[in-house]
Amino acid sequence: MDYSMIESLCIESGTVFERGAPLKQYCSMKIGGACDILVKPNSEAVLSELLSLCKSEGIPFFVLGRGTNVLFSDNGFRGAILFIGQEMGGITVEQNKIIAGAGAALNAVCKTALENSLSGAENLYGIPGSVGGALFMNAGAFGSEMKDITVSCRYINENGELLEMPAEDMELSYRHSFFSEREYVITSVTMRFSSGDKNAIRARMDEVMQRRKDKQPLEFPSCGSTFKRPKNGFAAALIEECGLKGFRIGGAQVSEKHSGFVINCGDATYSDITQIVEHIKKTVLKEKGVELDCEMIMVDS
């Protein structure tokens, strides 16, 4: 494929790009071969142009945030990775609202809220994704979700237009949003908070983080919870009841600390992860009659 037009746009706009970027460096599972080209757009306008170029030139593309819920193939990606990172990660505070670029870390938003004595995001502290990715999947933890604080977002639609959407139109539900099924790209999110006591906010954030450290295998590469929560139950409990805690294929393992996590023990391949995921799904369906739905986005091109 010809990437000359993308490279020209990047040079003209001061946008960083890299040929043959190793994708394992851009995702939390630490797995993935090289992509043809990785671009780090530095504005909504540049991102819109890049999306239009990819579509007009027939170049496959994938929009990537912090990569905490994405599993890339060892073969890499034949196309363009549009990496929404710190170049589009600015954070501003306006009274009880925080406006964050899609590339901002969700943890950075939580810390900004703390600094300004704003309450509402404490339970989300420790979720490793970006703001855009968190809204895309309506990320949540400990009874809170992105929908609880989101007011609106800016996004680019399939025609390259920059638009704004209120939260009530986002179809936010468990690990799902309006954006989950469309090639729309979130560029920034506006969130509303309530005034709170800084010490109380900090205490809750510390408590949430300690619970994560105590219960989750944070010392290993993973995509967090591998499966969505099934109706009337928990994936981790079902997996453990099926005797799969510690089950291993190659370098992939069902965590011995938390059965809901499939971890990379250090040398796992894409095939190892996908095989263990399929084995878990088949076993749980056979023994418990429950069909688990994987949270990870698997990219193999």
Side-chain angles (χ1 to χ4, degrees):
M1 277 174 277
D2 184 3
Y3 298 101
S4 58
M5 293 181 70
I6 289 180
E7 292 178 340
S8 295
L9 171 60
C10 290
I11 293 169
E12 291 171 7
S13 60
T15 298
V16 174
F17 68 92
E18 180 182 355
R19 286 286 202 133
L23 293 174
K24 65 181 180 180
Q25 295 182 9
Y26 290 89
C27 64
S28 60
M29 190 61 94
K30 303 303 178 186
I31 293 173
C35 63
D36 287 353
I37 187 169
L38 183 141
V39 184
K40 300 180 179 181
N42 54 16
S43 70
E44 292 172 327
V46 168
L47 177 56
S48 178
E49 286 191 63
L50 285 166
L51 290 167
S52 297
L53 261 181
C54 287
K55 291 175 181 178
S56 64
E57 297 300 309
I59 297 172
F61 67 91
F62 184 83
V63 179
L64 179 67
R66 294 174 67 85
T68 57
N69 206 38
V70 180
L71 177 66
F72 285 110
S73 166
D74 295 313
N75 296 323
F77 185 77
R78 303 282 72 80
I81 297 291
L82 307 182
F83 178 72
I84 313 299
Q86 62 182 11
E87 294 82 2
M88 292 184 65
I91 298 175
T92 58
V93 181
E94 295 181 0
Q95 297 180 332
N96 68 331
K97 293 181 181 178
I98 293 178
I99 300 94
L106 185 56
N107 273 347
V109 169
C110 295
K111 291 177 181 177
T112 299
L114 169 64
E115 291 166 4
N116 290 273
S117 300
L118 296 175
S119 177
E122 293 92 324
N123 288 349
L124 303 179
Y125 187 53
I127 293 177
S130 63
V131 170
L135 181 58
F136 177 87
M137 67 173 291
N138 187 30
F142 304 111
S144 297
E145 296 177 312
M146 281 296 292
K147 71 175 183 179
D148 300 327
I149 57 174
T150 299
V151 175
S152 64
C153 77
R154 286 162 66 88
Y155 68 99
I156 298 170
N157 69 8
E158 75 275 17
N159 298 316
E161 300 170 309
L162 181 63
L163 302 170
E164 187 162 353
M165 180 183 294
E168 53 264 31
D169 292 342
M170 294 181 191
E171 302 173 9
L172 296 170
S173 59
Y174 177 69
R175 303 301 176 264
H176 175 271
S177 76
F178 172 90
F179 303 97
S180 304
E181 299 158 0
R182 297 169 176 83
E183 286 191 350
Y184 293 1
V185 182
I186 298 165
T187 61
S188 69
V189 181
T190 297
M191 293 155 280
R192 181 186 291 114
F193 300 81
S194 57
S195 297
D197 177 76
K198 184 176 287 188
N199 290 330
I201 294 170
R202 180 183 289 109
R204 178 56 182 168
M205 288 171 64
D206 289 344
E207 178 188 354
V208 164
M209 184 57 73
Q210 190 59 52
R211 287 177 67 180
R212 288 183 180 279
K213 291 177 179 178
D214 290 343
K215 296 183 178 182
Q216 299 177 6
L218 302 181
E219 65 272 25
F220 290 99
S222 77
C223 282
S225 295
T226 306
F227 300 97
K228 295 179 181 178
R229 185 178 66 241
K231 291 182 179 179
N232 304 318
F234 295 92
L238 292 169
I239 293 167
E240 190 164 346
E241 288 167 11
C242 289
L244 293 174
K245 193 171 191 176
F247 178 77
R248 184 165 180 163
I249 294 179
Q253 183 184 42
V254 177
S255 169
E256 295 180 334
K257 191 173 186 179
H258 190 311
S259 299
F261 284 61
V262 171
I263 60 174
N264 177 358
C265 293
D267 58 354
T269 64
Y270 177 84
S271 177
D272 292 341
I273 300 293
T274 54
Q275 283 186 67
I276 205 168
V277 165
E278 286 306 308
H279 180 75
I280 292 168
K281 291 174 68 175
K282 289 178 181 178
T283 303
V284 171
L285 181 59
K286 180 181 179 180
E287 297 189 13
K288 297 293 181 178
V290 177
E291 188 168 357
L292 294 179
D293 186 11
C294 190
E295 271 197 29
M296 287 188 299
I297 298 172
M298 301 180 187
V299 183
D300 185 7
S301 71

